[in-house]
Amino acid sequence: MQASGRRTDADKKRLGIYYTPSAVAETLVGWAIRSPTDTVLEPSFGGCNFLRASHSRLLQLACTDPLRQICGTDIDKHALDALGATFGMIDIQRRFLLKDFLSTDPSEFCVAQFDAVVGNPPYVSHHAMGSQQKDTAWTIAKKNGWPLRRTASLWAYFLLHSLAFCKPGARVAFVLPPQFLSADYAASVREILEKSFDETTFQPVAERMFTDQGTDERSILLLADGYHGRLSSVGQPLPKASGLKSSLSLEEASLKTFEALVSKSQPLGACADIRIGTVTGANKLFVLTPQIAEEQQFPDDILVPALAKIPKNHGLEYTEDDHLQAVMGGERCYLIQPPSKPLEKQIATVRQYFQEYSISAVAENRTFKKRPRWFVVDDVHEPHAFLSYMHHDGPTLLLNSMRAVCMNNIHRIWWKTHVSDRDQKLIAISFISTFTQLSAELEGRTYGGGVLKHEIKEARRIRVLIPPSLSTSSVDNAYYIINALLRSGLQKEAVAAADELLTAAYPEAQLGMRVPCLSAALRRLRNGRTSRA
């Protein structure tokens, strides 16, 4: 492909284009294509890695003319440039179509049904889909009777539409986003797959495949074998493949337990409004230690208790005692918040404090430029709870009984009106549980040093359990015990207590016996993340 014809990062993000690494494409194609006569479809061929891998695989199997057995579609005209650069001047008539796959019918290809369908569908969210694309997706979903919610992302429609191109006995191999396991609408997709194939296997991959292309999401590998459309059961774990350097799977027991809990859970975003913490523009200037506040002789009424970092030995809430410990430890735990008046009308000590700040630093600060008075921090509101933003082990949620504020390295949570005090405590307990921590691990992104990060949209997707059957008294009792265990440094015991409370609320599913497999899956994912730090 010519450099001038390449898509910009913005274009790729808009179209959900993330080209699959060659090693991954080769591994999936090597599993999907079994004989030299197999026909292959790639619904969104983009950079042609799957097409190249299919061509090589067919040659290995002694196919004499592989290109005659490979077909594909793509909505991006640059994909045709890549196709020409990869295979030279070839006849694309009825084999490679420049159009939206969702509006493509099997009759348009020279081969109506395929032995293998492989690929990496576009990762475009429902909100980012264009109106015409939404209409096409909803029309085809209605036509096929798919029980998809209208919030489903584009990849889900692509995956299900690909079934219309499968021969009896066909194999499907796709690279999918983590929402395949965690999104509400994805449960319907998984159910359709399990009813349509003899065996279906879903495997999270520890490595981030697309970090060099501007996204850091984990990926899920889907292998579906034996297409027939009848009811089937989940098959065995993915066979080991030399093309993948390292992968961590949710084995069958782990997956089934996780799916069972997902069906009973809800995303945090359904319970809360989540926002970033207060942005000061210069935390060292605005977030003070008690010593600085005392030296400057600032009055108490302009000092707001502030949480600048999650306490080391935290419980389930941030309390007055926690704030007192921060004060005694000399931590930055006060946000200076002068009254919103012109500087010359401030008390003398405050005026002097801010006038000592560099004039050039004020002029260059983008945050300061947005304020009517740069020295008065706006958006200073007390949230109902705090949620850690970056973490090594996993996210922490603390209820805000201190009525403190927090800085923008911590997310703020305001509960929606239907969330009761009992529910708030259960959500805090759920964040200690293995299930919610595993959900967070799947949703988060990994950065330098193996740090796990949750932006607002990812935090909204973290699943929490709020069993309606638990009485207020039982929740209060568990909350007291788990809080005490955490503050005593007994993390494992606190996790066990949270798991026991939540899984016991669903006795019909006998989930408690299967929690250890979730713990093992969580350890594998965390170890895979931190070992590459």
Side-chain angles (χ1 to χ4, degrees):
M1 186 186 304
Q2 299 296 320
S4 61
R6 290 177 180 167
R7 281 288 185 185
T8 65
D9 288 343
D11 288 336
K12 290 180 180 179
K13 185 174 182 180
R14 176 176 55 83
L15 294 172
I17 298 172
Y18 299 105
Y19 296 144
T20 307
S22 296
V24 178
E26 290 166 3
T27 298
L28 295 183
V29 163
W31 175 84
I33 300 177
R34 293 163 284 182
S35 80
T37 60
D38 278 359
T39 52
V40 188
L41 172 66
E42 216 287 50
S44 182
F45 60 83
C48 296
N49 280 351
F50 276 99
L51 298 185
R52 277 191 289 268
S54 298
H55 185 268
S56 297
R57 173 62 174 163
L58 287 169
L59 285 177
Q60 289 175 357
L61 295 170
C63 176
T64 58
D65 192 1
L67 284 177
R68 291 294 174 185
Q69 296 168 211
I70 302 173
C71 296
T73 65
D74 205 290
I75 200 171
D76 182 9
K77 64 183 180 63
H78 294 82
L80 290 182
D81 297 335
L83 185 67
T86 300
F87 297 113
M89 297 301 292
I90 61 174
D91 175 19
I92 66 171
Q93 186 70 22
R94 298 194 66 200
R95 289 191 295 117
F96 296 100
L97 309 179
L98 182 61
K99 65 180 300 184
D100 183 355
F101 176 62
L102 294 185
S103 63
T104 302
D105 187 85
S107 63
E108 296 180 62
F109 289 109
C110 59
V111 178
Q113 291 183 308
F114 296 84
D115 298 288
V117 181
V118 297
N120 175 15
Y123 296 1
V124 180
S125 69
H126 165 77
H127 297 293
M129 291 167 62
S131 57
Q132 183 176 352
Q133 199 167 47
K134 287 179 181 177
D135 289 342
T136 301
W138 294 339
T139 298
I140 196 170
K142 184 177 181 180
K143 176 182 176 182
N144 289 279
W146 301 334
L148 280 180
R149 298 184 181 182
R150 287 206 166 194
T151 56
S153 296
L154 186 57
W155 66 263
Y157 297 101
F158 256 69
L159 174 56
L160 294 183
H161 187 45
S162 71
L163 304 188
F165 298 78
C166 290
K167 278 184 180 179
R171 285 184 169 184
V172 169
F174 271 58
V175 179
L176 300 173
Q179 288 73 35
F180 178 71
L181 291 181
S182 58
D184 289 333
Y185 61 82
S188 297
V189 177
R190 296 194 301 271
E191 182 180 1
I192 292 170
L193 290 174
E194 291 180 13
K195 289 180 178 179
S196 302
F197 290 86
D198 290 332
E199 294 184 353
T200 53
T201 300
F202 329 127
Q203 178 167 328
V205 177
E207 287 85 2
R208 263 64 172 178
M209 293 184 185
F210 308 113
T211 52
D212 60 339
Q213 300 177 54
T215 185
D216 203 32
E217 287 192 341
R218 278 196 175 90
S219 297
I220 307 294
L221 303 185
L222 163 69
L223 300 185
D225 187 13
Y227 177 74
H228 54 50
R230 297 188 306 273
L231 184 63
S232 62
S233 60
V234 173
Q236 299 302 311
L238 178 69
K240 292 182 179 179
S242 59
L244 295 179
K245 293 181 180 179
S246 173
S247 61
L248 296 170
S249 66
L250 288 183
E251 296 172 352
E252 183 174 353
S254 303
L255 178 62
K256 284 300 186 182
T257 303
F258 185 72
E259 287 182 315
L261 288 170
V262 165
S263 69
K264 300 177 185 301
S265 69
Q266 53 189 295
L268 181 62
C271 309
D273 179 16
I274 309 173
R275 307 177 208 168
I276 63 171
T278 299
V279 179
T280 67
N283 282 352
K284 288 186 177 180
L285 177 68
F286 287 96
V287 187
L288 313 178
T289 65
Q291 291 82 352
I292 293 175
E294 184 176 357
E295 290 169 2
Q296 297 291 334
Q297 298 182 342
F298 290 150
D300 291 343
D301 61 358
I302 68 167
L303 298 175
V304 180
L307 182 62
K309 63 180 181 179
I310 300 294
K312 183 177 181 180
N313 293 319
H314 63 80
L316 294 172
E317 58 185 313
Y318 188 68
T319 66
E320 290 185 11
D321 287 342
D322 292 320
H323 178 67
L324 180 59
Q325 287 186 21
V327 170
M328 295 175 64
E331 298 178 15
R332 292 183 178 272
C333 56
Y334 286 110
L335 172 66
I336 182 171
Q337 179 66 355
S340 183
K341 299 177 182 178
L343 183 59
E344 60 271 20
K345 293 184 180 180
Q346 301 294 329
I347 55 178
T349 55
V350 176
R351 183 167 64 248
Q352 181 180 352
Y353 177 76
F354 284 112
Q355 285 178 341
E356 290 177 355
Y357 197 67
S358 166
I359 295 176
S360 61
V362 172
E364 295 170 0
N365 192 298
R366 294 181 180 179
T367 301
F368 293 171
K369 292 177 182 179
K370 298 176 183 178
R371 299 176 186 155
R373 297 178 177 84
W374 72 267
F375 53 87
V376 178
V377 178
D378 49 13
D379 191 25
V380 180
H381 302 291
E382 304 164 3
H384 296 145
F386 305 110
L387 179 65
S388 61
Y389 174 37
M390 302 182 71
H391 14 256
H392 283 284
D393 292 330
T396 296
L397 186 144
L398 299 177
L399 302 183
N400 183 18
S401 57
M402 174 59 202
R403 300 187 64 184
V405 299
C406 68
M407 303 304 99
N408 63 332
N409 61 324
I410 299 172
H411 293 323
R412 296 177 292 180
I413 287 178
W414 281 272
W415 303 117
K416 296 187 177 180
T417 55
H418 69 275
V419 179
S420 65
D421 289 343
R422 166 196 166 277
D423 293 348
Q424 294 171 30
K425 292 179 179 179
L426 274 173
I427 293 171
I429 291 172
S430 189
F431 261 85
I432 298 299
S433 73
T434 302
F435 166 73
T436 293
Q437 287 292 311
L438 180 55
S439 173
E441 196 73 30
L442 291 170
E443 295 295 351
R445 305 185 183 196
T446 298
Y447 286 80
V451 171
L452 186 67
K453 181 178 179 182
H454 290 91
E455 301 286 0
I456 297 295
K457 65 178 181 180
E458 294 146 359
R460 290 188 184 118
R461 295 198 298 256
I462 297 174
R463 311 293 301 199
V464 294
L465 290 165
I466 315 174
S469 62
L470 294 177
S471 66
T472 299
S473 60
S474 64
V475 172
D476 287 344
N477 184 56
Y479 184 87
Y480 175 83
I481 292 172
I482 294 170
N483 186 56
L485 289 171
L486 288 171
R487 292 186 181 279
S488 299
L490 301 174
Q491 178 75 20
K492 290 183 179 178
E493 291 79 358
V495 172
D499 288 344
E500 181 179 0
L501 174 75
L502 296 173
T503 57
Y506 306 105
E508 74 284 356
Q510 297 182 334
L511 295 170
M513 299 295 292
R514 302 187 343 226
V515 167
C517 64
L518 286 188
S519 300
L522 178 59
R523 284 195 301 273
R524 287 196 296 272
L525 288 175
R526 282 183 177 167
N527 289 340
R529 167 166 55 86
T530 57
S531 66
R532 290 183 298 281

